[in-house]
Amino acid sequence: TVAASRVALSELLVDRAPDLGERFTAAGEALDAGDEGLPPLLRVATHPGGSKLLRVLLAFPSGGLPFLDPEEREIFALEEVPREGAMQAVSKKPLAVRRRELRRAAQGPLQRICARYAQDLLLHRQGSGVLEAVVLAFPTPSLLEAVARAAAGLP
């Protein structure tokens, strides 16, 4: 399962949209690409559930998780789950170590997506929360400049 998780994470962290080629309906009409032309990580950041996952990953331990429902807080706090009649750890590594590793792996791609799509994220309900979390977790001059330019309406 570790290999599968790494593959899934690596697919999400690419900075470019997948090349799907032209797509057509059964009648031969061209389909609108919609958000399929966007990088996968940007689609996750603007999805109601995906944005919560990213915000939990980026939240400071003492910062709380006010954007989660009580039931969601319980799920993210689980360290053991029932499996085959016994309680087993959700990970071989301590949660703090696992979280630190995931943050490190996602840092660069998240910074690049937020810098490149700052305007889109600022105007999106879920995306703006992710943008705020990334700025607080990984403040760099280039990211802060991109957010400031987007907020001012500059290209």
Side-chain angles (χ1 to χ4, degrees), residues 32-96:
D32 180 19
D35 68 350
E36 290 181 4
L38 300 174
L41 190 55
L42 181 61
R43 294 195 326 243
V44 171
T46 56
H47 185 274
S51 64
K52 287 182 181 182
L53 179 65
L54 291 174
R55 290 175 71 188
V56 167
L57 175 65
L58 298 172
F60 292 101
S62 62
L65 304 170
F67 51 88
L68 294 179
D69 296 329
E71 296 83 12
E72 292 170 328
R73 282 192 202 104
E74 286 180 30
I75 291 170
F76 281 110
L78 288 176
E79 294 188 31
E80 293 183 328
V81 293
R83 185 180 296 160
E84 298 174 8
M87 294 301 283
Q88 294 185 358
V90 295
S91 175
K92 292 180 183 178
K93 297 178 183 179
L95 290 179

Side-chain angles (χ1 to χ4, degrees), residues 58 60 103 106-108 110-112 114-115 130-148:
L58 298 172
F60 292 101
R103 281 176 59 116
Q107 179 178 352
L110 280 170
Q111 287 173 316
R112 287 188 296 274
C114 287
V130 172
L131 181 62
E132 176 188 18
V134 172
V135 167
L136 290 173
F138 313 120
T140 63
S142 60
L143 177 59
L144 296 175
E145 179 183 350
V147 172

Side-chain angles (χ1 to χ4, degrees), residues 90-126:
V90 295
S91 175
K92 292 180 183 178
K93 297 178 183 179
L95 290 179
V97 171
R98 192 168 51 116
R99 183 172 173 266
R100 194 168 40 249
E101 290 174 351
L102 288 170
R103 281 176 59 116
R104 191 176 312 124
Q107 179 178 352
L110 280 170
Q111 287 173 316
R112 287 188 296 274
I113 289 293
C114 287
R116 183 170 178 195
Y117 295 97
Q119 181 72 42
D120 297 318
L121 290 167
L122 275 174
L123 298 175
H124 196 277
R125 182 177 181 166
Q126 287 82 19

